[in-house]
Each structure stands twice: as structure tokens, then as C-alpha cells.
Amino acid sequence: MKPSSMNPGVIALLCVTSLTIGSATPAVTVTPPPKTTPAKTVPNSTPQNRFLPPVQNSPPSKVTPANPATPPTAPAATTNNLPLVVVPNLTPVTIKSFTNLYAQLLAVKFTPNQQAKISQRLNREWVTNLGLRNTVTQTIALEPQIVRGTPVERTQLQTKIIANLRQQVLDGDGDALWLVSFYDAAPKNWLAPGKPPLTRMTSDMSAEVLCFMVNEVMGKSVATADTKLKNAIASKLTTEYAKIPVDTKQELSRLPTNWLAFKNGQWIRRGDYFREQMRIQWGQNLEAYIPEIKQISKLRRDRLARLQADPKIQWNKINSVQRQVVFQKSDLEFQTSLKTLPPVTTVQLTNYINNMQVANAIGNSPTRSSLRLKVK
């Protein structure tokens, strides 16, 4: 299949499904589209209602303060002179109460293996993970609403919590991904069956990654993973999922975990030069199918080529830190050129997704080797 015969937007999904994270060395720091989530919090940083919506008339949660005052009689501190945090003991009763209530809240029946995983993670992270401790406390505090509430009330509460968890995942929270994965594991909550099945978390993350890549390539926030775009990708993937090769399904299922690890790790840690190389790689894959990206993609490639060819820089002889300094010096001129480029709107992206042929494109794309898709 020739690239021109592929529907617009397919290559973007290919980038999403492959995620050769950190394989390239991608420079301009761009703030992703602003979120509109209520009560957005930083993972593991707040002691209350991290994942759960506000609860009325529920017993107050017993939360350990993040920085309790050091008792006058016990001024001992850590090597960094930080006050000691008193962590309540994790008891088998607490683990059982959380597991049973969370299962009722999600309206699923945990398997013995799932129960064991919950117990293992709580025991492993109880002392170090404040957010997880507070989630357990808040869930147990919901017992009156979960046990005594009507089916309609429990459904409403479940809907709010699942939506909250999903948004926390999109904001970069690995604990939220772990919690919502139990809900997605139930067959009744699948978008499409398969090995592995298609979940809403996977399709929502596909939309998030697509917009992230577009915004980074364009150098400004021009697209948002809104409900319309998420629904379009979910609908298209659900329709085509049976035709997608098994290996590609596995790549899709790993997308949320892989993307969070990449975005919270290498994307931040590796610096401007790495990020610019990733933008160039994404731009090359996207430009053939989203015309608005072509101009900026070429601009990025040309800038890199000029820097590499400049005899005064001796590009191949300088280290990564020195290369980042060169990018920073050329940043002002480059940013000025971004202002003249046309935007890419969410409506346009939705149209591309609505028109694409997922299975055929993924199975026959001539770019899949360069994207390192594990498709036979």
C-alpha cells in the first residue's frame, strides 16, 4: 500500500501503537493542552480525595498529615533533617475491607489472583506511597454509600470515580492506572473482545498521545483530546479491532503504561535535544496524513540539518549537553516562525480518525518497520 492511499490520521495512530520510546534523540518545551478536570491534583502530593469525588455525609477519613509537627520530646530527624512521618499499620482487616468495598464500588468480582495483587501492592507500597494510603482510607470511608446506597446511587458514584481515575491516568498518574485496570479487566466493560481486549483506557490514551504529538510538533497547544475525539477513536478502534493483528493489539494494550513511563521519565529527563529529535520523528510520520503539520515538520528538519552541517559547530564532535545549548541559542528565531503557521484543530483530527481504516493501515503500512511495530 502506498502512503498516499492511506487515510489521513492513520499514521498518527501508528505512532501511538508503536511508541519506540526513547529510541530517537528528540527542543522547544511546549505546554500540553490544559486539562479541564475538576480538583486536579499532583500524584502522591495531597492527603485527601486524590481519586475519589467529594463525598457528602460520609465518615471523615483518617488521613496522616504529610508533614506532622515533630514532638518536642522527639526531635530526631532523618539524614536530610526532615520530620518523621507516622504511618498507621496496614492490617489484614484494612486490606480485606478495601478489597471488598472496591469490588462493590466497581461492581466486579475480584479473582483470587487480583485479590493477591492488591494485597501485594498495598504491603509493598504502604509506607512509601502516601497517595495510595489515602485512596484506601477514602474508599473505606465510602462504605455507607456503597453498602446502603441504592443501585442508582452506586452507579452514579462508580461513574464519577471511574471518570476521575481515567483523567488522573491521562494526567500521568500510575496509581490511577493500576486502580482503573481492575474495572477494565471485567468483560462487561470491554470495548471489544480480544487477546488482549480493547479497553476505554487504551482508546482514551490513544487520543491523548495523538494530541500530545501534534502539539509538540506544532510547537504550541492546538489540539485537545476532548470527548468528541476520544469517542471517535474509541468507535473506530472498536469497529476495526477484530481485524487488527494480535501483536498490534498487545502494543495497544501496553500503551497507557508505556506512555506514562515515557512522559514521566525520558521526556523530562533527557532534555531539549532529545525532545526535538522525537518531534522530528513524530512530524515525519504525521505530515503525510495531516497536511497542517507538514510545514512545521520541514522547518524542524531543516533547522537540525543546518546545525549539523555548520562547520563552526562540528556537530559530530560535541556532546549532548553542548547540542542542547546550540538549540537554546537558535530557539528565538525558531519560535518566531511558529507564529505564522496554521493551527491543527480537534475537529480536523476527529475527521481524520472518522475516515481512517485502522486494520488495513496498521497491517500494511510501509512505515511500520521504521516505527518498529511488532507485526508479522
Side-chain angles (χ1 to χ4, degrees):
M1 178 183 291
K2 298 180 180 179
S4 58
S5 67
M6 294 174 62
N7 288 312
V10 171
I11 197 65
L13 192 59
L14 285 175
C15 292
V16 170
T17 58
S18 63
L19 279 181
T20 17
I21 294 171
S23 61
T25 1
V28 185
T29 302
V30 179
T31 303
K35 308 294 180 182
T36 58
T37 59
K40 177 181 173 181
T41 60
V42 178
N44 295 339
S45 65
T46 179
Q48 56 184 340
N49 287 334
R50 181 170 166 228
F51 302 117
L52 308 180
V55 179
Q56 296 180 350
N57 300 323
S58 62
S61 57
K62 299 180 182 178
V63 179
T64 302
N67 294 295
T70 305
T73 57
T78 64
T79 55
N80 294 324
N81 293 323
L82 295 176
L84 297 176
V85 177
V86 179
V87 178
N89 292 330
L90 176 64
T91 66
V93 174
T94 301
I95 296 175
K96 184 177 181 179
S97 296
F98 170 74
T99 304
N100 291 341
L101 288 169
Y102 197 60
Q104 293 181 60
L105 179 61
L106 300 184
V108 299
K109 184 177 181 179
F110 289 151
T111 64
N113 184 49
Q114 289 175 322
Q115 294 178 34
K117 287 183 177 180
I118 292 174
S119 178
Q120 291 168 4
R121 181 154 185 172
L122 291 182
N123 278 292
R124 183 175 67 249
E125 300 187 21
W126 184 255
V127 174
T128 59
N129 194 331
L130 172 62
L132 196 57
R133 292 202 305 271
N134 292 328
T135 297
V136 172
T137 303
Q138 292 291 335
T139 302
I140 294 175
L142 290 173
E143 181 175 11
Q145 290 180 263
I146 298 173
V147 175
R148 304 170 192 169
T150 65
V152 173
E153 290 173 338
R154 289 197 296 269
T155 299
Q156 291 174 343
L157 182 61
Q158 177 193 103
T159 300
K160 291 180 181 179
I161 290 178
I162 295 302
N164 199 355
L165 285 170
R166 292 199 193 286
Q167 189 56 56
Q168 291 287 349
V169 176
L170 299 182
D171 291 341
D173 196 309
D175 288 339
L177 177 59
W178 177 69
L179 289 167
V180 81
S181 67
F182 293 104
Y183 177 84
D184 287 338
K188 64 179 181 179
N189 299 323
W190 297 344
L191 293 182
K195 296 183 179 181
L198 175 65
T199 68
R200 183 70 193 209
M201 193 69 258
T202 294
S203 65
D204 282 357
M205 187 62 81
S206 300
E208 187 75 13
V209 175
L210 171 59
C211 289
F212 183 92
M213 291 191 298
V214 169
N215 289 334
E216 288 295 331
V217 173
M218 294 297 293
K220 50 189 173 182
S221 297
V222 296
T224 303
D226 60 9
T227 301
K228 186 175 182 180
L229 181 63
K230 291 177 183 177
N231 289 342
I233 291 181
S235 176
K236 182 58 64 174
L237 282 174
T238 299
T239 301
E240 302 283 346
Y241 199 68
K243 305 174 186 177
I244 297 177
V246 173
D247 287 349
T248 304
K249 291 177 181 176
Q250 293 174 349
E251 292 288 337
L252 271 171
S253 71
R254 290 192 288 266
L255 173 62
T257 300
N258 289 347
W259 179 251
L260 291 188
F262 171 71
K263 187 178 178 183
N264 295 335
Q266 291 192 58
W267 184 254
I268 298 173
R269 188 173 63 249
R270 295 283 294 276
D272 285 343
Y273 180 54
F274 170 81
R275 289 191 285 269
E276 183 64 15
Q277 287 190 301
M278 290 304 299
R279 294 183 187 109
I280 289 173
Q281 177 179 302
W282 293 337
Q284 286 179 307
N285 290 323
L286 290 165
E287 65 180 25
Y289 311 101
I290 303 180
E292 290 81 2
I293 287 179
K294 189 171 185 178
Q295 187 176 351
I296 182 59
S297 179
K298 183 178 184 301
L299 194 63
R300 290 188 184 280
R301 294 198 307 274
D302 289 348
R303 181 174 67 147
L304 179 60
R306 286 196 304 270
L307 292 173
Q308 292 175 332
D310 190 338
K312 295 179 293 185
I313 299 179
Q314 295 184 319
W315 191 261
N316 293 329
K317 297 182 181 180
I318 62 178
N319 59 40
S320 60
V321 175
Q322 293 170 320
R323 291 178 181 181
Q324 292 191 49
V325 172
V326 173
F327 269 112
Q328 291 169 356
K329 288 182 178 179
S330 64
D331 190 59
L332 182 60
E333 177 185 356
F334 181 73
Q335 286 292 342
T336 301
S337 65
L338 295 181
K339 298 178 181 179
T340 64
L341 298 173
V344 177
T345 67
T346 302
V347 173
Q348 290 169 326
L349 292 179
T350 303
N351 290 336
Y352 298 142
I353 297 299
N354 284 335
N355 292 328
M356 72 184 182
Q357 299 293 324
V358 176
N360 291 336
I362 291 180
N364 299 287
S365 170
T367 64
R368 62 181 174 177
S369 59
S370 64
L371 292 172
R372 300 185 185 180
L373 276 174
K374 299 177 181 179
V375 179
K376 297 180 180 179

